[in-house]
Amino acid sequence: MKTVLTIAAALLSTATLVAASPAEAAQGYDQYRRAVLGDTTVASADANVQTRAVRVPGSYAQYLINNGADKSAALITAAHAGEQPVLAQVAVQAKQPRLTPAQAYAKSIGNDVRVANEAVTSAE
C-alpha cells in the first residue's frame, strides 16, 4: 500500500509541474524558434528592442570576402553572378562604457561599478 501511495504522489506531483508551466514552455520554444531556426513569424517577447536593416552578403560574396576580397568588390562580383545581398534586421546595440582597470577588476569580483557619463565620453 505504501508503494502505491508513493507512486500516486509522484505521478500527481509530476502532473502538477507539467500543467503549471505551459506558458513558460511555449515562451522558451518561441525563443528557440527565433534564435536557432530563424523563424521570423514568432513575435519577440522584448518589443522595445530597436532594430535596423543591414545588408548581409550572400554565400558567394561571403566566400570572396573570406578569400581576401574587399567587401564592396565582393558584393559587386556576386551581383554580376546573380546573387543579391539580403536585408536582415539586427538589434541596435547600445555603446558599452569603457571601464578603467580598477573598475574592471571591481566588476570581475562582483562589486557594483558605476561609470560617470563624463568618463565614457572622454574615453571615446
Side-chain angles (χ1 to χ4, degrees):
M1 185 68 173
K2 264 186 167 177
T3 53
V4 172
L5 289 176
T6 306
I7 292 172
L11 290 175
L12 182 63
S13 65
T14 305
T16 304
L17 287 175
V18 171
S21 61
E24 292 174 4
Q27 182 182 7
Y29 182 62
D30 288 346
Q31 182 180 3
Y32 169 79
R33 285 175 47 198
R34 278 191 311 275
V36 177
L37 302 178
D39 188 356
T40 58
T41 62
V42 180
S44 176
D46 189 11
N48 296 330
V49 175
Q50 295 179 353
T51 61
R52 66 182 172 101
V54 176
R55 283 184 11 173
V56 178
S59 59
Y60 182 58
Q62 192 63 48
Y63 167 78
L64 293 173
I65 292 168
N66 288 341
N67 284 330
D70 183 42
K71 184 176 181 178
S72 60
L75 288 171
I76 292 170
T77 305
H80 287 298
E83 180 182 87
Q84 296 299 321
V86 179
L87 284 179
Q89 295 291 330
V90 296
V92 176
Q93 298 290 327
K95 285 192 174 184
Q96 297 295 324
R98 294 188 184 172
L99 301 177
T100 64
Q103 290 171 328
Y105 173 73
K107 184 177 179 180
S108 72
I109 61 172
N111 292 344
D112 188 23
V113 177
R114 304 234 187 256
V115 180
N117 288 336
E118 308 86 46
V120 174
T121 56
S122 65
E124 294 176 349

